Amino acid sequence: VARLISLVENQSGRDVAAACLPYLGHARVIGITGSPGVGKSTSTAALVSMLRAKGSTVAVLAVDPSSPFSGGALLGDRIRMQEHATDPGVFIRSMATRGHLGGLATAAPQALRVLDAAGFDVILIETVGVGQSEVEVVELADTTVVLLAPGMGDAVQAAKAGILEVADLFVVNKADRDGADQVVRDLRYMQSLGGGHSLPGSWRPPIVKAVAARGENFPEIVAALNRHQEYLHRSGELTRRRTSRAGAEVEAIALDVVRQRFEQIHGSAGLLELAGAVAAGELVPFTAADRLVASLS
Amino acid sequence: VARLISLVENQSGRDVAAACLPYLGHARVIGITGSPGVGKSTSTAALVSMLRAKGSTVAVLAVDPSSPFSGGALLGDRIRMQEHATDPGVFIRSMATRGHLGGLATAAPQALRVLDAAGFDVILIETVGVGQSEVEVVELADTTVVLLAPGMGDAVQAAKAGILEVADLFVVNKADRDGADQVVRDLRYMQSLGGGHSLPGSWRPPIVKAVAARGENFPEIVAALNRHQEYLHRSGELTRRRTSRAGAEVEAIALDVVRQRFEQIHGSAGLLELAGAVAAGELVPFTAADRLVASLS
């Protein structure tokens, strides 16, 4: 599995994707996101323990859209996940997205496909996220868990970060600290302002307090995740989300192919010359872009 | 200026870009980024005050890549900027990127061009950012200021978020709080590990402590920004950065044009059908993408 993921990371994904095709559709995909410091890695580890105790096999894909330059997760995370390192029912993989737009959009879905075809019951995608990366997680996951913690910016900041809209489940971590109840109250108030989820039969994201370091309230989290999965199936939302995810993936791959074409046709020197003319104010960027597009046909 | 920016936001940017062309190249572009809660808006307001006191005209572009759904900045920010609202030498504009990849990459550079052509001395781009959005700010700005604050996640978290690599200047805000010195020490330690900036004549990002709410140490920040500008000119890095920025913009526009072509050629129903086949496991996404690309020529 690890070697297959390396293949898809290194742009050799075509054959791998074809080989996976007959084995797809089993895994549940759960995204876990939140600002740095809310305890994503600890929560992921606690969730893995819960799911393993129930007999599910689990793959963890730690996506690091925020680390385009250094590439890869730091030591701390790996240590926190170490209790699961020797469990054959757990697979852990870090993935950097290398700072190009569409990085997560192209490589991560292929890694998901490999993990799904490999037969894992649950795939957890953990990602550092405020903003764009969260939106991308939403496109990847069936269910998105947004982690918050007291003292990590108030609910107004969470709202600014677009967090309210993307969550299927809120977990207020570090609930043994001062301010946890305030985070919950603020979230409830924000939810009441939004109102978008109040239609009958629609999903209103539950708010669960937890202490990930001690696994506290993780049974409640798993129960909420199961309720959301039932909702996804019942409402047809699962098909809608997976279709949307596939559409985004196809578009990202197609645009990646086009981007490579630009480079093949013009060479990096040609592209640099075009960019230089735009930077020098000699050429409108739209005119330069039109030249690129015209060169495709 | 506001109307011109609305035009470029609404995809009518071609004529505007052409009209701006003769007036480009005057403005300095400074990016300000950091996690939610570090005090970006307050710092931006303090920086505006400093720059105005020195006689510079200032445009603030508050980009919100993290708010793809709600679109636009919240009330709090506007209040913090209110002291500048009636100053004709200050222009303030919020910009949401509407959740599509490449949103910031296509609309923001055009807004920058309008502001540059309008003759502003300094353009501040403020963005909520961990990760992708920071990388995009780097592509937009001549100088990138990364804000940190005590208690907003430790330096390891900052390193995970890729913050060390993108900064030209670190500002440790809320320096009157416990832990500010620790943030500075951790940053220094991280910098010593990185070592990438230790070549002779290269730029080593300074670390400045500040209290934005009282404007404390903002003269030092402006001095550091000026030193960085001199470095950019002296080293040729300014041309390199602006060329790279223009290249990214041209590519983003070209890919946007291609994306629109996909929709024109296949219709949204056609794209949805393709995505549905991929989601159902009937079609490999690469094959679907190849069909899209083939339809261009």
Side-chain angles (χ1 to χ4, degrees):
Chain A
V1 170
R3 273 194 296 265
L4 284 173
I5 292 182
S6 292
L7 279 175
V8 300
E9 278 191 303
N10 296 312
Q11 316 279 337
S12 322
R14 287 173 177 262
D15 300 337
V16 177
C20 289
L21 202 61
Y23 308 103
L24 298 179
H26 171 69
R28 294 168 63 184
V29 184
I30 299 171
I32 300 175
T33 190
S35 303
V38 294
K40 280 182 299 300
S41 305
T42 319
S43 298
T44 302
L47 197 52
V48 170
S49 299
M50 281 294 307
L51 294 165
R52 288 299 292 141
K54 288 177 183 292
S56 298
T57 55
V58 186
V60 178
L61 193 64
V63 180
D64 215 341
S66 54
S67 192
F69 302 96
S70 53
L74 292 187
L75 190 63
D77 286 354
R78 300 287 70 78
I79 290 169
R80 268 168 264 170
M81 290 300 290
Q82 205 161 32
E83 57 177 308
H84 302 296
T86 56
D87 177 349
V90 177
F91 177 87
I92 301 166
R93 172 82 186 202
S94 292
M95 194 170 218
T97 51
R98 308 206 185 104
H100 59 79
L101 272 172
L104 183 56
T106 54
Q110 298 175 53
L112 284 182
R113 196 168 287 115
V114 169
L115 295 169
D116 185 13
F120 287 101
D121 299 317
V122 181
I123 304 171
L124 300 177
I125 317 177
E126 178 199 326
T127 182
V128 177
V130 181
Q132 195 60 60
S133 48
E134 257 158 10
V135 178
E136 295 183 3
V137 168
V138 172
E139 288 197 338
L140 291 172
D142 301 330
T143 301
T144 299
V145 179
V146 171
L147 281 174
L148 295 154
M152 300 302 298
D154 57 20
V156 175
Q157 299 285 358
K160 277 172 69 175
I163 271 179
L164 294 177
E165 290 98 337
V166 303
D168 299 308
L169 169 63
F170 290 103
V171 173
V172 179
N173 191 27
K174 306 182 184 180
D176 51 348
R177 296 200 186 166
D178 285 347
D181 287 327
Q182 189 58 46
V183 175
V184 172
R185 273 194 299 272
D186 289 346
L187 277 176
R188 290 237 168 85
Y189 177 66
M190 291 288 186
Q191 280 188 323
S192 73
L193 288 181
H197 288 284
S198 58
L199 296 167
S202 75
W203 178 259
R204 187 188 171 83
I207 303 167
V208 182
K209 289 198 289 183
V211 184
R214 297 197 298 264
E216 237 175 75
N217 267 9
F218 272 68
E220 285 73 9
I221 292 172
V222 170
L225 290 172
N226 289 340
R227 281 200 307 278
H228 188 249
Q229 195 193 18
E230 285 158 26
Y231 160 77
L232 287 175
H233 279 282
R234 197 177 61 230
S235 62
E237 177 73 9
L238 186 65
T239 303
R240 206 196 59 75
R241 287 191 181 192
R242 292 192 168 179
T243 302
S244 157
R245 189 200 300 174
E249 186 188 5
V250 169
E251 187 182 86
I253 294 173
L255 293 179
D256 215 45
V257 170
V258 169
R259 204 184 333 232
Q260 287 165 26
R261 285 267 175 96
F262 290 156
E263 179 112 17
Q264 283 161 10
I265 296 168
H266 302 271
S268 32
L271 294 179
L272 202 64
E273 198 183 319
L274 216 52
V278 172
E282 295 157 7
L283 191 65
V284 178
F286 292 95
T287 312
D290 287 342
R291 285 192 201 163
L292 288 185
V293 176
S295 67
L296 289 172
S297 50
Chain B
V1 171
R3 273 194 297 266
L4 284 173
I5 293 183
S6 292
L7 280 175
V8 301
E9 279 191 302
N10 296 312
Q11 316 279 338
S12 323
R14 287 172 177 263
D15 299 337
V16 178
C20 288
L21 202 61
Y23 308 102
L24 298 180
H26 171 70
R28 294 169 63 186
V29 184
I30 298 170
I32 299 174
T33 188
S35 304
V38 294
K40 280 181 299 300
S41 305
T42 321
S43 299
T44 302
L47 197 53
V48 170
S49 298
M50 280 295 307
L51 294 165
R52 288 299 292 141
K54 287 176 184 292
S56 299
T57 55
V58 185
V60 178
L61 193 64
V63 179
D64 213 342
S66 54
S67 193
F69 301 95
S70 55
L74 291 187
L75 190 61
D77 286 354
R78 300 287 69 80
I79 291 169
R80 267 169 266 171
M81 291 299 290
Q82 206 160 31
E83 57 177 306
H84 302 295
T86 55
D87 178 349
V90 177
F91 177 87
I92 300 167
R93 172 82 185 204
S94 293
M95 192 171 218
T97 52
R98 312 211 181 101
H100 59 79
L101 272 170
L104 182 56
T106 53
Q110 298 174 54
L112 283 183
R113 196 168 288 114
V114 169
L115 295 169
D116 185 13
F120 287 101
D121 299 317
V122 181
I123 305 171
L124 301 177
I125 317 177
E126 178 199 326
T127 180
V128 176
V130 181
Q132 194 60 59
S133 48
E134 257 158 10
V135 178
E136 294 182 4
V137 169
V138 172
E139 288 195 339
L140 291 172
D142 301 331
T143 300
T144 300
V145 180
V146 170
L147 281 174
L148 296 153
M152 299 304 297
D154 57 20
V156 175
Q157 300 286 358
K160 278 172 69 176
I163 271 178
L164 293 178
E165 290 98 336
V166 304
D168 298 308
L169 169 63
F170 290 103
V171 173
V172 178
N173 191 27
K174 305 183 185 180
D176 51 347
R177 295 200 187 166
D178 285 347
D181 288 326
Q182 188 59 46
V183 175
V184 173
R185 273 196 299 272
D186 289 346
L187 276 176
R188 291 236 168 85
Y189 178 66
M190 291 287 185
Q191 279 188 324
S192 72
L193 289 180
H197 288 285
S198 57
L199 295 168
S202 75
W203 178 259
R204 186 188 172 83
I207 303 167
V208 181
K209 289 198 288 182
V211 185
R214 298 197 297 265
E216 238 175 76
N217 268 10
F218 272 69
E220 286 73 7
I221 292 172
V222 171
L225 289 173
N226 289 340
R227 281 200 307 277
H228 188 249
Q229 196 194 16
E230 284 157 27
Y231 161 77
L232 288 175
H233 280 280
R234 198 177 58 231
S235 63
E237 177 74 9
L238 188 65
T239 303
R240 206 195 59 74
R241 288 190 181 192
R242 291 191 168 179
T243 302
S244 157
R245 188 200 302 174
E249 185 188 5
V250 170
E251 187 183 86
I253 295 172
L255 293 178
D256 215 46
V257 170
V258 168
R259 204 183 336 230
Q260 287 165 26
R261 285 268 174 95
F262 290 157
E263 179 112 15
Q264 282 162 10
I265 296 169
H266 302 271
S268 32
L271 294 179
L272 202 63
E273 198 183 320
L274 216 53
V278 172
E282 295 157 8
L283 192 65
V284 177
F286 291 95
T287 312
D290 287 342
R291 284 192 201 164
L292 288 185
V293 177
S295 68
L296 289 172
S297 50

